[in-house]
Each structure stands twice: as structure tokens, then as C-alpha cells.
Amino acid sequence: MNIETPPTEKPYEKPEGERRGLIIVNTGNGKGKSTAAFGLAFRATGRGKAVKVYQFMKVPTARFGEHRLAEQVGLPIEGLGDGFSWKSKDLDHSAQLARDGWEKAKADILSGELFLVVLDEITYPLIYGWLPLQEVLDTLKARPKDVHVCLTGRRCPQEIIDIADTVTEMTLIKHAFQAGIPAQRGIED
């Protein structure tokens, strides 16, 4: 490790542009995509902003840690899926759930009533061909100017990355699962 001298001057200038809704993408093979999106959702909720989280792969009855906290602070989360695709008994049904869920999310994005809409794990229905990419792109472009949208999931389509304002790629360096350690409650669920 190299020891550094802390900066004594601000390393950047404050942007002069207008404030507006952002398209934020959390992608990559590393952990933390949904966690970061929930951080945004809780931050905005803490500021009294209207937020909704749509989880495209989670079942509506999911009760992970984020769901429990969201209930306590009044953050609505809607599970739209039927779990991991390899657990699905009917992929056509899974695809229909994604399409139905997209219609709800799309309506919320375009309504202008929400400050932030999180589309958690939306990349999977996109790359499986369950959702039309162009419709998602058109919705993101047509959203009211103050609506922020955060999209998560591995292998985000380049077309979404191209129109996004902020894109973070989570890079896997090491994961406990690779060492045979199962998911830990409160850390990964």
C-alpha cells in the first residue's frame, strides 16, 4: 500500500448544468448492483421523495432484508417475477410476468409522479427477449424531465448504457461463494 498526502484543494469544479432526472445503470458480474440501487432508493425516501422499486426476478412474496426495512420506512417494492429462471416451471409464464410488470413500471416512469423508479434486475428480461429493448429505450427517453430511473443487472444492453447518465460496472474480484461459503442472511438477502 502506498501512503498518500490528502488533497488540500477540491479536485473538481461544481458542474453548471441544470438539475434533471438521471438514468443510472448498475451492471457487471460483481456483487452490489441491487444493493447500490436500494441505497439510492432509501436515500431518496429519506429526503421525502416518492420512490418505487420494481424487482423483475423476485417473487411478490419475497421477504429479504431490504423488503423488511422498506416496509418500515414506507418504500414500496413490487416483486414481478417467479424467481430465478432455472427455478421456473414455465418460462413462458415468467416472460409474461416480466411483460406485465414492465407495463406497471412504464406507467410509473411516464406518470411523472415518482422522483425515482428502480428497475431491479431488468437486464435479464431484456437479454432473454422477454421485453422489447426499443420500448424500454423509448420510455427512458420520453420520461418527464425530473424522473430518475435506476436499472440493474448483469450484461446491460449497450443501447441502454449509451443513453445513461451514470454507469457503474461492478467487477468481481473475489466472492465467498467461490470458496464454498453460502449466502449470509443480512449480507446477501
Side-chain angles (χ1 to χ4, degrees), residues 144-155:
K145 111 179 186 28
D146 294 325
V147 175
H148 302 274
V149 180
C150 180
L151 304 90
T152 76
R154 287 176 169 79
R155 300 185 311 278

Side-chain angles (χ1 to χ4, degrees), residues 18 50 65-66 109 112 136 143 160 163 177:
E18 84 174 303
E66 61 267 26
I109 292 168
V136 173
R143 75 193 191 288
I160 292 175
I163 67 166
F177 189 77

Side-chain angles (χ1 to χ4, degrees), residues 50-175:
V51 179
K52 178 123 188 215
V53 176
Y54 287 99
Q55 293 189 297
F56 279 84
M57 302 305 286
K58 300 285 190 296
V59 298
T61 57
R63 296 280 298 141
F64 298 112
E66 61 267 26
H67 298 105
R68 295 163 193 254
L69 179 59
E71 286 174 7
Q72 294 174 33
V73 300
L75 171 61
I77 302 175
E78 186 169 348
L80 302 171
D82 58 356
F84 296 113
S85 58
W86 56 88
K87 290 185 175 182
S88 177
K89 293 175 177 46
D90 181 353
L91 289 177
D92 289 332
H93 177 68
S94 300
Q96 187 60 53
L97 288 173
R99 287 189 290 273
D100 294 344
W102 167 246
E103 290 304 319
K104 294 177 187 180
K106 176 180 163 184
D108 271 344
I109 292 168
L110 295 176
S111 76
E113 295 174 12
L114 296 173
F115 175 79
L116 171 64
V117 178
V118 174
L119 306 175
D120 188 37
E121 299 180 330
I122 192 171
T123 62
Y124 306 109
L126 285 167
I127 60 180
Y128 299 157
W130 298 348
L131 296 179
L133 176 60
Q134 191 59 53
E135 185 175 329
V136 173
L137 291 166
D138 291 345
T139 300
L140 293 172
K141 292 175 186 175
R143 75 193 191 288
K145 111 179 186 28
D146 294 325
V147 175
H148 302 274
V149 180
C150 180
L151 304 90
T152 76
R154 287 176 169 79
R155 300 185 311 278
C156 184
Q158 186 63 46
E159 295 87 343
I160 292 175
I161 290 171
D162 290 345
I163 67 166
D165 298 289
T166 301
V167 178
T168 301
E169 182 173 0
M170 311 300 190
T171 303
L172 177 64
I173 295 172
K174 186 176 184 180
H175 195 293

